[in-house]
């Protein structure tokens, strides 16, 4: 609501254009109508932001790329992958293997594996209800004796990450790390993370105000530079394409 008010205020103040910078588009997961008589929440948010008068949207790692199609204005969906991969590469983790927490994230995880020059494994996740909980039941690929890096776009409960960590440890992984673009961690998530075999969770600072005190296992990587460069290029009417490389 605050975002809508600011957009409206700037338009009424005769701004030539208004760009909404939304590092964490929190309703992006509501990207489809998966049962009768439910709202497509991401579309509702997109309509509201456009109705307020926005001219452009800059965001980071939408849950589904098709959410960009809900907007009629240009959307720059920036990637956290290069920033996170640079931080992870600096750790010089030995015998790295990238693990996708479910089949739906396999395509994105392959980009991680190519960037980090590491093989890929895929966990099979089963979700039995509409809660944020899911169960990892199988693993496709070998992690034995390797450093497993579980990657995902966001986590709230940390349930999927911890389940995937349990599976890779059972399959012989030497150590386990995790990386997510967005971390909106609950108290339960912190407890799960502290009790899990995950040694380090890398995530961006897309969520500025965390609801709980972060665990010592969490390392926050700033994407301020990425957004700053995007804003600079948009203001100067330069190409933003290089930021997606």
């Amino acid at each position: 609501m605050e975002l809508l008010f600011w957009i409206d205020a700037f338009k009424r103040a005769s701004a030539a254009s208004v760009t909404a910078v939304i590092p964490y588009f929190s309703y992006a997961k509501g990207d489809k109508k998966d049962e009768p008589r439910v709202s497509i929440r991401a579309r509702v948010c997109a309509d509201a932001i456009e109705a307020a008068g926005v001219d452009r949207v800059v965001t980071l790692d939408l849950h589904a790329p098709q959410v960009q199609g809900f907007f009629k204005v240009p959307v720059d969906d920036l990637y956290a992958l290069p920033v996170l991969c640079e931080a992870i590469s600096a750790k010089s983790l030995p015998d790295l293997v990238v693990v996708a927490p479910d089949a739906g994230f396999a395509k994105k995880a392959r980009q991680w594996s190519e960037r980090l020059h590491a093989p890929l494994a895929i966990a099979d996740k089963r979700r039995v209800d509409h809660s944020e909980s899911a169960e990892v039941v199988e693993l496709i690929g070998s992690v034995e004796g390797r450093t497993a890096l579980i990657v995902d776009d966001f986590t709230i409960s940390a349930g999927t990450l911890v389940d995937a960590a349990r599976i890779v440890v059972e399959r012989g992984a030497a150590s386990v790390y995790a990386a997510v673009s967005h971390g909106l961690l609950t108290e339960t998530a912190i407890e799960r993370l502290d009790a899990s075999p995950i040694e380090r969770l890398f995530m961006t600072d897309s969520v500025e105000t965390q609801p709980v005190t972060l665990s010592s296992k969490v390392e926050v990587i700033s994407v301020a530079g990425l957004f700053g460069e995007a804003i600079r290029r948009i203001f100067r009417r330069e190409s933003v394409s290089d930021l997606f490389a």
Side-chain angles (χ1 to χ4, degrees), residues 2-12 18 20 49 52-54:
E2 286 293 326
L3 175 63
L4 300 181
F5 295 154
W6 276 110
I7 294 170
D8 181 68
F10 288 132
K11 296 300 284 190
R12 291 176 185 276
V18 177
I49 291 169
V54 80

Side-chain angles (χ1 to χ4, degrees), residues 51-238:
V54 80
D55 298 289
R56 189 173 190 139
V57 173
V58 180
T59 187
L60 180 75
D61 279 345
L62 290 170
H63 181 64
Q66 63 263 27
V67 171
Q68 297 175 71
F70 294 164
F71 291 89
K72 295 182 181 66
V73 298
V75 176
D76 296 304
D77 182 20
L78 303 178
Y79 301 155
L81 186 151
V83 178
L84 290 171
C85 282
E86 182 178 355
I88 292 167
S89 295
K91 302 292 183 182
S92 301
L93 303 177
D95 297 322
L96 195 65
V97 56
V98 174
V99 179
D102 55 46
F105 201 72
K107 182 177 179 180
K108 191 72 174 180
R110 188 171 298 280
Q111 296 176 9
W112 280 80
S113 68
E114 290 173 354
R115 188 91 178 196
L116 294 169
H117 306 290
L120 175 67
I122 303 171
D124 180 22
K125 183 174 71 174
R126 180 176 59 190
R127 191 181 299 277
V128 296
D129 54 30
H130 294 287
S131 69
E132 289 298 330
S133 61
E135 179 186 7
V136 176
V137 294
E138 191 54 78
L139 184 70
I140 304 167
S142 175
V143 297
E144 187 172 358
R146 290 180 170 272
T147 301
L149 175 68
I150 305 166
V151 297
D152 208 348
D153 58 343
F154 78 101
T155 187
I156 298 174
S157 66
T160 297
L161 296 179
V162 172
D163 276 350
R166 173 181 54 81
I167 290 290
V168 298
V169 167
E170 289 177 358
R171 296 301 176 87
S175 58
V176 186
Y177 292 77
V180 297
S181 299
H182 310 290
L184 189 65
L185 302 174
T186 62
E187 288 186 10
T188 302
I190 297 298
E191 292 171 1
R192 283 177 176 166
L193 187 63
D194 284 338
S196 76
I198 297 174
E199 296 183 21
R200 203 79 171 163
L201 170 62
F202 302 96
M203 68 182 197
T204 75
D205 55 352
S206 62
V207 179
E208 182 182 18
T209 306
Q210 287 290 339
V212 296
T213 302
L214 297 179
S215 165
S216 59
K217 287 188 174 184
V218 177
E219 183 171 337
V220 179
I221 311 299
S222 178
V223 285
L226 177 65
F227 276 98
E229 180 62 17
I231 292 167
R232 185 190 69 81
R233 291 182 180 218
I234 291 169
F235 176 74
R236 296 186 177 181
R237 299 190 180 279
E238 299 174 354

Side-chain angles (χ1 to χ4, degrees), residues 17-63:
S17 67
V18 177
T19 299
V21 180
I22 312 172
Y24 175 55
F25 193 87
S26 58
Y27 285 97
K29 194 175 180 183
D31 62 325
K32 58 187 177 296
K33 186 176 179 181
D34 49 11
E35 61 179 287
R37 299 179 180 87
V38 297
S39 172
I40 304 176
R41 292 165 294 172
R43 175 60 188 269
V44 174
C45 290
D47 287 346
I49 291 169
E50 283 193 344
V54 80
D55 298 289
R56 189 173 190 139
V57 173
V58 180
T59 187
L60 180 75
D61 279 345
L62 290 170
H63 181 64

